[in-house]
């Protein structure tokens, strides 16, 4: 069977030609008269600027283009580290970056979960979404109804200059295409991919990466003659997984889709049952009710009220809003679907690099082990490391999507400001590597019992015992809060690596009080500003010669809205930073623990391939550059 090739939106239809950056004109820079006639100062080696200072100076003298920088960085990743990145998704991301901001092509896959009935349901969902109730049944609707749901179908949405809402089947042997003109979707540069999928159901709590990869990069079988097929990968920006009936609802419940609401959406077609009654996380829709609403409105405008009632009762508008939210964008701003795709590609690549680092460490330890017993200990350490990284990711995903974290939303902060420390401490105590810490004690006991090495593990060193060194400063969230980072002393640590204990204690004793203080500060500032503007409005109303309640109310409302907006921005930024801080510190703790045990097993002579480490470090630097450019890109 031939290798998979990416199937991307066609050029000239949805794929716009690649945009070439305009050459930068340097022009004549203004030169100071005294500087032009004075001799250049000699730079001694001691005063020579550092590379970081040179980079900062260059960034202030040149006009940066984050979109172009991001494209170049992704191209470097593809060239130098092709095994770390998904080529199909990368090509789709690069194509979006080469298009005009706000006019990128967006592809959405509508996938029927299972064979037969689910594909028919997905096809009916597309017909209902694109149908125009102000017009009679169009030719493309009849063509869509006649299409066999077992075969993949591409639906291109846009204005056809020489057709009048007529469907036009593509003559290409690759895939069947239908062109649709819809007033609601013509300006979105949207393309739908209809196909069925028999996705293997992962167990509960399985990593989302597997499911996301399968849904966002579906494989399309293209007939190539003589009964053979050629599989093509069709990367998409978003995917809607459609199931039918109670069996389909059971299949959707088995999937782990939490945390990917922007790129993945699941819906089950069940008549007469609402989402609350079923008690599920995915959407429950009634396609028959939505189709009946469209048919009623086409019979005459007197059915407008009944159309609106049945249309919203079907819950199909939730899928419509989700699709439009990813494809709509403000003027000259990147579409949300394109931005999410790039962020997902970078995150997936970073996870691959981390896994490669773990495998590299395991290989180095295996090579260093001279006896079978040491090799067994190295194998146990590798298994512990893999389980610890998986636990860290899974448990923190549960923690930061659970009830405790949702209780700390910005609009709940007024009555939960005193619960910030309690809720976050509970999250860390229950979700921050509890199993990995217990398994580490067991592993250290095995090493001590085997007698293969001296169990004097390297421990985290307290900076409190090193007053000559500068303590590190870290910022929390919006930058209003600075906190010193102490490290616990190794004097009272047990005879196993104490990095996990140290990291948890640091997060609890240092970052959580800082987060609590910031929450209280923001609430007080919000209440003070609201009270001040309200008092000002009252004074304006009382002291005015011709007092009007409207003017006073406008002043008060302005202050309240501004204070709430300020509270939301700063608190959500602080929450995001703290979440990232916990994840990063946890990864560092696992990594440091692994290195500490490895040094003991190797007798202090642990060696690893410096060349491979340098390559992985370069890949990490490219990921960091791409993330920085993505954050600055409009």
């Amino acid at each position: 069977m031939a290798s998979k090739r990416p199937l991307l939106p066609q050029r000239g239809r949805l794929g716009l030609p690649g945009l070439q950056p305009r050459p930068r004109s340097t022009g004549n820079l203004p030169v100071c008269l005294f500087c032009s006639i004075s001799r250049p100062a000699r730079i001694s080696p001691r005063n020579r600027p550092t590379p970081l200072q040179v980079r900062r100076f260059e960034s202030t003298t040149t006009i940066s283009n984050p979109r172009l920088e991001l494209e170049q960085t992704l191209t470097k990743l593809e060239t130098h580290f092709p095994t770390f990145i998904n080529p199909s998704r990368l090509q789709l991301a690069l194509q979006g970056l080469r298009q005009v901001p706000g006019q990128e092509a967006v592809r959405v896959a509508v996938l029927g979960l299972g064979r037969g009935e689910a594909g028919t349901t997905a096809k009916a969902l597309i017909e209902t979404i694109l149908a125009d109730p102000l017009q009679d049944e169009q030719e493309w609707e009849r063509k869509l109804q006649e299409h066999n749901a077992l075969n993949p179908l591409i639906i291109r949405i846009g204005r056809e200059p020489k057709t009048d809402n007529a469907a036009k089947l593509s003559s290409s042997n690759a895939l069947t295409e239908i062109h649709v003109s819809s007033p609601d979707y013509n300006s979105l540069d949207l393309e739908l991919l209809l196909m069925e999928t028999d996705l293997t159901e992962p167990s509960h709590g399985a990593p989302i990466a597997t499911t996301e990869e399968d849904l966002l990069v579906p494989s399309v079988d293209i007939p190539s003659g003589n009964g053979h097929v050629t599989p093509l990968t069709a990367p998409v920006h978003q995917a809607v997984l459609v199931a039918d009936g109670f069996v389909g609802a059971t299949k959707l419940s088995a999937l782990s889709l939490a945390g990917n609401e922007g790129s993945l959406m699941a819906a089950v077609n069940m008549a007469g049952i609402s989402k609350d009654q079923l008690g599920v996380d995915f959407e429950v829709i009634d396609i028959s009710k939505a189709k009946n609403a469209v048919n009623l409105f086409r019979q005459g405008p007197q059915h407008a009220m009944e159309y609106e009632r049945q249309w919203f009762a079907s819950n199909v508008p939730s899928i419509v809003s989700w699709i439009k939210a990813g494809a709509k964008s403000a003027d000259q701003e990147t579409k949300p679907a394109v931005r999410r795709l790039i962020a997902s590609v970078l995150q997936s690549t970073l996870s691959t690099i981390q896994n490669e680092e773990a495998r590299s460490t395991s290989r180095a330890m295996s090579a260093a082990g001279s006896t079978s017993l040491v090799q067994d200990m190295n194998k146990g350490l590798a298994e512990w490391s893999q389980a610890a990284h998986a636990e860290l990711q899974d448990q923190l995903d549960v923690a930061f999507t659970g009830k405790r974290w949702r209780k700390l939303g910005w609009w709940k902060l007024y009555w939960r400001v005193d619960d910030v420390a309690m809720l976050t401490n509970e999250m860390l105590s229950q979700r921050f590597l509890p199993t990995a810490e217990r398994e580490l004690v067991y592993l250290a006991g095995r090493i001590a019992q085997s007698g293969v090495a001296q169990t004097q593990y390297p421990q985290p060193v307290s900076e409190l015992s090193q007053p000559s060194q500068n303590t590190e400063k870290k910022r929390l969230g919006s930058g209003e809060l600075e906190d010193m980072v102490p490290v616990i002393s190794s004097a009272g640590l047990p005879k196993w690596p104490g990095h996990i204990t140290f990291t948890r204690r640091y997060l609890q004793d240092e970052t959580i009080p800082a987060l609590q203080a910031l929450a209280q500060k923001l609430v007080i500032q919000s209440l003070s500003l609201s009270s001040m503007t309200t008092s000002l409005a009252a004074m304006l109303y009382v002291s005015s010669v011709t007092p009007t309640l409207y003017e006073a109310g406008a002043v008060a409302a302005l202050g309240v809205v501004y204070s709430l907006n300020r509270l939301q921005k700063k608190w959500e930024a602080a929450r995001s930073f703290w979440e990232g801080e916990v994840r990063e510190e946890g990864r560092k703790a696992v990594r440091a623990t692994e290195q500490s045990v490895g040094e003991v097993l190797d007798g202090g002579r642990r060696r690893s391939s410096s060349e491979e480490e340098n390559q992985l470090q370069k890949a990490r630097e490219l990921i960091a550059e791409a993330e920085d450019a993505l954050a600055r890109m409009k």
Side-chain angles (χ1 to χ4, degrees), residues 567-617:
L567 172 65
Q568 178 185 7
K569 288 183 177 180
K570 292 185 176 296
W571 178 243
E572 291 301 326
R575 275 174 25 114
S576 300
F577 181 87
W578 190 75
E579 177 180 348
E581 183 79 356
V582 172
R583 293 181 185 274
E584 183 63 16
E585 291 297 332
R587 189 194 66 79
K588 291 179 180 179
V590 174
R591 180 69 172 169
T593 301
E594 184 182 1
Q595 292 177 349
S596 178
V597 177
E599 290 179 10
V600 169
L601 292 177
D602 294 344
R605 297 183 302 272
R606 185 179 182 193
R607 299 181 301 272
S608 61
S609 175
S610 59
E611 182 179 355
E612 186 175 4
E613 289 183 356
N614 291 337
Q615 290 297 320
L616 294 175
Q617 182 62 30

Side-chain angles (χ1 to χ4, degrees), residues 20 39 44 54 94 100 241 245 292 294 306 324 416 431 442 487 629:
Q20 298 294 333
R39 296 182 60 184
S44 62
V54 174
L94 288 174
V100 179
L241 193 59
N292 186 46
V294 175
E306 183 65 17
K324 290 184 177 180
R416 292 194 182 274
R431 301 294 181 181
Y442 173 73
V487 183

Side-chain angles (χ1 to χ4, degrees), residues 17-68:
L19 298 179
Q20 298 294 333
R22 300 179 63 182
R24 298 176 180 173
S25 175
T26 56
N28 296 325
L29 298 177
V31 179
C32 173
L33 176 62
F34 297 98
C35 297
S36 62
I37 62 177
S38 61
R39 296 182 60 184
R42 297 179 60 186
I43 302 179
S44 62
R46 181 177 300 179
N47 298 327
R48 188 178 303 276
T50 65
L52 180 60
Q53 293 172 336
V54 174
R55 184 179 301 177
R56 289 179 177 175
F57 175 76
E58 291 176 352
S59 64
T60 59
T61 57
T62 59
I63 301 176
S64 62
N65 186 346
R67 196 180 189 89
L68 181 59

Side-chain angles (χ1 to χ4, degrees), residues 225-365:
N226 298 328
H228 298 286
V229 295
T230 301
L232 295 178
T233 56
V236 296
H237 297 86
Q238 302 176 191
V240 184
L241 193 59
V242 182
D244 193 79
F246 282 101
V247 177
T250 304
K251 293 180 180 180
L252 289 179
S253 300
L255 299 178
S256 178
L257 301 177
N260 287 267
E261 293 81 0
S263 300
L264 300 178
M265 187 178 192
V268 60
N269 180 36
M270 300 181 66
I273 298 180
S274 64
K275 179 179 180 180
D276 296 333
Q277 292 174 339
L278 199 59
V280 293
D281 296 333
F282 47 84
E283 300 295 332
V284 179
I285 60 176
D286 188 348
I287 297 179
S288 60
K289 185 173 291 185
K291 294 180 66 175
N292 186 46
V294 175
N295 294 333
L296 277 176
F297 196 88
R298 284 175 173 176
Q299 294 176 8
Q302 65 273 15
H303 302 291
M305 297 295 294
E306 183 65 17
Y307 158 79
E308 184 175 358
R309 186 186 67 81
Q310 293 194 23
W311 176 252
F312 285 99
S314 68
N315 200 29
V316 173
S318 62
I319 300 180
V320 175
S321 301
W322 179 79
I323 293 176
K324 290 184 177 180
K328 281 186 177 180
S329 175
D331 188 23
Q332 299 297 322
E333 290 188 4
T334 305
K335 290 185 176 181
V338 178
R339 185 179 291 272
R340 279 195 299 266
L341 170 64
I342 299 173
S344 177
V345 169
L346 295 177
Q347 182 61 36
S348 176
T349 307
L350 182 59
S351 299
T352 304
I353 294 173
Q354 293 174 350
N355 294 335
E356 185 63 27
E357 288 177 343
R359 287 191 293 268
S360 176
T361 302
S362 300
R363 289 193 298 267
M365 290 188 300

